[in-house]
Amino acid sequence: MHGKTRPPVAAGEALARMDRFVALGLIGQQEMAQRLGLNVTDLTCLGHILGAADAPLSAGDLAELTNLTTGAVTGVLNRLERAGYAHRRPDPADRRRVRVVADPAATARVVAVYEPFYARLGTVFAEYTPDEIAVIADWFERAAQQLRAHHDEVCGDAPGPAAP
């Protein structure tokens, strides 16, 4: 496959486009969560649980991935279990820990909600070469690292700018 010729875009315009995409994504996540009977935080955690697939996450892993406290993750897991989306299982390597697994029927419900959007994204990716997709994937990974670092600065122990 050959990539399409695209007009040059300055970094500022790319950031503006990203901001629009993120804003639409936030609203979309709220709508998806509501459709599934969850809040956005619980849906985000469920997404990580589903993404772990055959390597179930511990509650601590989930806390680290989401920047939530372990206490908050306990609340999330309680709600996901009550709603039938996930279950805690003893960690075979350490019985003091638990791993979180998604319920297969719940997984099917989530896939049914997201599948049309992912199909649309698949048509977008089909217009890019494998090398271009590698650049996009690299950008998202590196941008996520910067987002986490910024979040840690703003929400962590690092002092930020004084409030006006």
Side-chain angles (χ1 to χ4, degrees), residues 73-157:
V73 167
T74 297
V76 167
L77 295 179
N78 289 343
R79 289 188 298 275
L80 289 175
E81 280 189 316
R82 275 196 307 272
Y85 282 102
H87 306 285
R88 293 173 177 105
R89 298 285 182 252
D91 185 330
D94 182 350
R95 297 302 237 177
R96 296 169 295 175
R97 293 175 51 155
V98 295
R99 297 285 173 174
V100 185
V101 296
D103 179 84
T107 299
R109 290 196 312 265
V110 173
V111 168
V113 170
Y114 277 91
E115 193 169 43
F117 175 58
Y118 280 24
R120 287 174 185 265
L121 289 179
T123 63
V124 173
F125 276 120
E127 296 179 18
Y128 293 88
T129 66
D131 286 344
E132 290 171 324
I133 293 171
V135 170
I136 293 167
D138 176 67
W139 188 91
F140 275 114
E141 181 64 28
R142 294 173 63 203
Q145 291 169 1
Q146 294 305 317
L147 182 58
R148 181 172 290 279
H150 180 72
H151 179 273
D152 290 348
E153 286 175 13
V154 171
C155 299
D157 294 332

